């Protein structure tokens, strides 16, 4: 019954009730209830006995020139695409708009990455297809930004935008949250929703129709990321991997997940789910840089991914229709939960310098200041 999920329902005008009826009917309430019970009411703790260090290689162990040649040959044949996760806003930076539009000396994060793709296109003499996952909150602004900047010199037909999928936010009592506009509140379902979003948006089929076999994925907020890094791409192709990951040695207590073996299967244990201090035992920090085979992307799109809990202060209407900002429950999927379905998975550990500088905060660590310094050090601005 809708009033069990939305106790404010009977206080609302009929037009809003009708709108909520339609939104409610579109929900899978059995799934929502199961997620609430499994993830919030009965959370499973991490069994540290099941976690082992992941095997990895370093660049010094590899024939770098040969692997880069393999990558460039695949690029020239149109087999390599780039997938960018760019669904976030610049709220924590006090920046209005999508995080990818944040700029250093007039160069946005989007432009910094587009410039690398343009260089690859010139070297490989073949266009690189760029797939960009946005969200409902920033999709329109992202498209406008690309149009205003003439797609940074890239061919618009080679840039493909699609939206992240969503899942309802809940109160701690398990009720649906209602936004100030009197809609059921939906929030992005986490980076693990990328596989389903690729499939449901038609982007996966688009990749296959173009003959793309290998997809390099990265986040928008790593300001020094080596987009489509030919060493990682070449390693992936040469070994016939389904997944190839890049890692760094984490600093003590650093807020990055740890690439590990969990019960003998490749995974990432998120730092928020590790007992305090336990993460320092593992030497491969996940920096959100991976190469996937398109066959694996297709397989992952059909996998039922678990949800994880994120407690967030969310602005919503309480039971008396007053707008409040209180802690609510967001449920997110993590893409690395699909790793255990990969038959072949390698990890390449690289130095942090020139590889990883996340832009998360206005000041302090992983901030505008640290990102600017690293961009200057690498000669990127």
């Amino acid at each position: 019954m809708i009033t069990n999920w939305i106790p404010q329902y009977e206080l609302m005008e009929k037009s809003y009730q009708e709108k909520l009826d339609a939104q409610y009917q579109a929900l899978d309430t059995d799934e929502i209830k199961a997620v609430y019970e499994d993830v919030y009411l009965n959370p499973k703790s991490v069994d540290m006995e099941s976690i082992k260090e992941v095997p990895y290689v370093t660049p010094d162990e590899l024939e770098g020139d040969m692997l880069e040649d393999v990558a460039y040959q695949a690029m020239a044949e149109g087999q390599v695409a780039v997938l960018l996760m760019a669904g976030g806003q610049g709220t924590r930076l006090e920046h209005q708009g999508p995080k990818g539009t944040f700029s250093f000396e007039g160069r946005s994060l989007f432009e910094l990455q587009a410039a690398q793709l343009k260089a690859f296109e010139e070297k490989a003499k073949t266009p690189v297809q760029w797939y960009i996952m946005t969200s409902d909150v920033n999709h329109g602004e992202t498209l406008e930004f690309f149009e205003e900047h003439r797609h940074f010199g890239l061919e618009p037909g080679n840039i493909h935008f699609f939206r992240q999928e969503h899942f309802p936010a809940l109160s701690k009592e398990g009720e649906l949250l209602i936004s100030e506009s009197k809609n059921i509140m939906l929030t992005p379902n986490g980076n693990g929703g990328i596989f389903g979003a690729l499939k449901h948006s038609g982007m996966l089929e688009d990749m296959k129709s173009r003959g793309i076999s290998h997809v390099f994925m990265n986040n928008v907020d790593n300001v020094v990321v080596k987009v489509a890094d030919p060493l990682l791409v070449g390693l992936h192709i040469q070994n016939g991997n389904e997944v190839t990951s890049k890692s760094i040695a984490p600093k003590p207590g650093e807020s990055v997940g740890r690439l590990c073996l969990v019960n003998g299967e490749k995974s990432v244990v998120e730092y928020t789910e590790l007992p305090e201090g336990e993460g320092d035992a593992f030497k491969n920090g996940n920096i959100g840089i991976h190469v996937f085979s398109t066959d694996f992307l297709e397989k992952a799109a059909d996998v039922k991914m678990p949800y994880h809990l994120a407690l967030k202060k969310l602005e919503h209407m309480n039971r008396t229709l007053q707008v409040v900002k209180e802690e609510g429950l967001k449920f997110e999927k993590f893409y690395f939960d699909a790793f255990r379905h990969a038959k072949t998975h390698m990890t390449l550990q690289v130095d942090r310098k020139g590889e990883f500088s996340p832009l998360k905060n206005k000041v302090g660590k992983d901030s505008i200041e640290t990102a600017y310094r690293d961009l200057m050090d690498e000669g990127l601005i």
Side-chain angles (χ1 to χ4, degrees), residues 64-81:
D65 291 343
M66 180 272 290
L67 292 177
E68 290 187 8
D69 287 345
V70 168
Y72 280 116
Q73 181 61 38
M75 287 180 192
E77 294 172 1
Q79 296 179 20
V80 180

Side-chain angles (χ1 to χ4, degrees), residues 50-306:
S50 71
I51 304 174
K52 307 295 180 190
E53 185 62 81
V54 73
Y56 62 95
V57 296
T58 63
D60 291 343
E61 301 171 57
L62 305 175
E63 295 182 49
D65 291 343
M66 180 272 290
L67 292 177
E68 290 187 8
D69 287 345
V70 168
Y72 280 116
Q73 181 61 38
M75 287 180 192
E77 294 172 1
Q79 296 179 20
V80 180
V82 173
L83 175 59
L84 176 64
M85 293 190 290
Q89 291 289 85
T91 309
R92 285 164 63 183
L93 307 174
E94 296 184 10
H95 168 70
Q96 295 296 316
K99 186 180 277 191
T101 65
F102 188 89
S103 299
F104 294 90
E105 296 191 358
R107 302 195 75 194
S108 67
L109 300 183
F110 284 134
E111 182 179 352
L112 289 167
Q113 298 195 20
Q116 295 186 58
L117 293 183
K118 195 168 184 182
F120 279 126
E121 291 189 350
E122 291 169 357
K123 183 164 184 173
K125 296 181 171 53
T126 303
V128 178
Q129 303 300 315
W130 198 13
Y131 297 85
I132 300 177
M133 185 172 77
T134 65
S135 63
D136 279 352
V137 296
N138 75 4
H139 185 80
E141 287 181 276
T142 300
L143 268 61
E144 288 173 11
F145 190 80
F146 271 75
E147 289 167 4
E148 287 168 8
H149 292 82
R150 299 183 180 180
H151 297 84
F152 311 105
L154 298 172
E155 175 59 45
N158 298 330
I159 306 176
H160 316 276
F161 299 94
F162 66 104
R163 299 182 202 228
Q164 192 170 1
E165 297 180 335
H166 295 79
F167 193 81
L170 300 178
S171 69
K172 292 182 178 180
E173 293 72 39
E175 297 160 357
L176 293 166
L177 293 186
I178 303 302
S179 69
E180 187 176 2
S181 57
K182 298 182 181 177
N183 291 297
I184 292 174
M185 184 182 293
L186 302 177
T187 58
N189 69 347
N191 55 39
I194 196 165
F195 305 120
L198 279 170
K199 180 176 180 178
H200 300 144
S201 66
M203 294 299 161
L204 191 53
E205 191 58 41
D206 184 84
M207 290 176 179
K208 290 166 59 182
S209 71
R210 296 175 187 273
I212 293 167
S213 302
H214 319 288
V215 180
F216 178 98
M217 184 184 83
N218 67 281
N219 292 305
V220 75
D221 60 5
N222 179 1
V223 301
V224 298
V225 62
K226 293 179 178 176
V227 180
D229 177 10
L231 182 63
L232 189 71
V233 173
L235 180 66
H236 177 83
I237 295 171
Q238 184 69 14
N239 288 277
N241 295 336
E242 288 193 308
V243 182
T244 310
S245 301
K246 185 180 281 192
S247 72
I248 58 167
K251 298 173 184 176
E254 186 170 9
S255 299
V256 293
R258 304 302 196 263
L259 279 152
C260 298
L261 292 173
V262 180
N263 293 318
E265 297 175 325
K266 281 284 183 70
S267 187
V268 172
V269 181
E270 192 64 324
Y271 67 94
T272 55
E273 298 182 346
L274 283 166
E276 188 172 351
E278 295 285 354
D280 295 341
F282 301 98
K283 306 305 180 188
N284 284 275
N286 176 43
I287 55 176
I289 299 173
H290 310 277
V291 184
F292 301 110
S293 71
T294 46
D295 286 343
F296 176 78
L297 290 176
E298 193 164 31
K299 178 165 56 176
D302 293 328
V303 167
K304 186 172 177 60
M305 302 273 282

Side-chain angles (χ1 to χ4, degrees), residues 329-376:
L329 313 180
K330 286 180 67 177
F331 298 96
E332 301 175 340
K333 297 177 180 180
F334 296 154
Y335 63 81
F336 44 73
D337 283 324
F339 286 177
R340 66 187 184 88
H341 299 282
K343 295 176 183 175
T344 47
H345 185 163
M346 290 183 72
T347 298
L348 172 66
Q349 187 180 97
V350 297
D351 289 337
R352 177 186 303 264
K353 180 173 169 50
E355 296 275 3
F356 184 58
S357 179
L359 177 60
K360 302 288 187 185
N361 306 303
K362 185 178 180 182
V363 296
K365 66 178 182 179
D366 300 338
S367 65
I368 296 170
E369 180 184 359
T370 60
Y372 181 76
R373 180 197 65 210
D374 292 341
L375 284 166
M376 291 288 286

